[in-house]
Amino acid sequence: MRWLGRCRGRTATYPLDGAGLASVSLERHPIIALLRRLPQELQFIMVGCAAAATHLAVAISLVALADMEPLAANVLAFLVAFVISYNGHALLTFASARARGPAVVVRYFSVACLSFAANELLYFIALYALDWHYVWSLIGVLILVATGTFLLSKFWAFKPRRGAGP
């Protein structure tokens, strides 16, 4: 079975594997190529929004459908969203660094956990120590933490290592 796709008037066929997923490499997919032309910061925001939407959907589903406690559901949702976030950043945002493998996953997981903790701590401080409105507090914290996450991801987690092959 083959899947027929169109891009810029050209037709391409992609072989389907047994699970029904296109077995063509995402590295060469025309949509990925198009997204890679966007500024890196916009790529980071897009991947982050996809991960955040996944996090929200999983957390809500676990609470509503599995009757899970919200805090436990939040941790599981964070882990599922991490998979989306890591793969999105590895394939798109920081693809040019060609940094992949277990060491990169561990570094990025450290960044994600630090960001998760920083978000909670800063939000708590803004709400209770500074007595800011919850909406403005959350907006400020999200911008601050996202900026830190981008910088740590770019210059540490996904930074190409010397001597590493392509």
Side-chain angles (χ1 to χ4, degrees):
M1 178 185 271
R2 300 180 77 70
W3 174 76
L4 188 63
R6 294 188 61 82
C7 180
R8 292 190 191 146
R10 293 178 299 212
T11 301
T13 59
Y14 301 98
L16 295 179
D17 63 17
L21 300 174
S23 59
V24 68
S25 170
L26 286 177
E27 292 285 330
R28 295 176 298 199
H29 195 281
I31 293 174
I32 298 294
L34 179 66
L35 291 173
R36 285 185 177 158
R37 293 183 187 153
L38 297 172
Q40 188 179 43
E41 296 80 8
L42 184 56
Q43 294 172 9
F44 182 82
I45 290 168
M46 290 171 58
V47 170
C49 287
T54 300
H55 188 136
L56 185 61
V58 170
I60 290 170
S61 297
L62 289 172
V63 171
L65 303 175
D67 200 30
M68 189 177 281
E69 290 294 321
L71 289 176
N74 190 44
V75 172
L76 288 177
F78 167 76
L79 294 173
V80 173
F82 170 78
V83 174
I84 303 298
S85 182
Y86 170 77
N87 284 295
H89 290 315
L91 288 170
L92 185 63
T93 313
F94 304 111
S96 63
R98 297 186 184 272
R100 306 265 169 66
V104 178
V105 173
V106 169
R107 286 193 305 268
Y108 185 66
F109 187 71
S110 299
V111 169
C113 289
L114 178 65
S115 297
F116 187 70
N119 183 299
E120 288 296 298
L121 177 64
L122 292 173
Y123 195 40
F124 179 87
I125 291 169
L127 289 173
Y128 299 108
L130 300 175
D131 198 31
W132 290 355
H133 189 275
Y134 77 96
V135 172
W136 295 114
S137 296
L138 186 57
I139 290 170
V141 166
L142 289 175
I143 291 170
L144 187 63
V145 171
T147 302
T149 301
F150 176 79
L151 294 172
L152 281 170
S153 297
K154 181 174 182 166
F155 296 111
W156 182 63
F158 287 97
K159 181 179 180 182
R161 300 295 179 220
R162 289 182 203 180

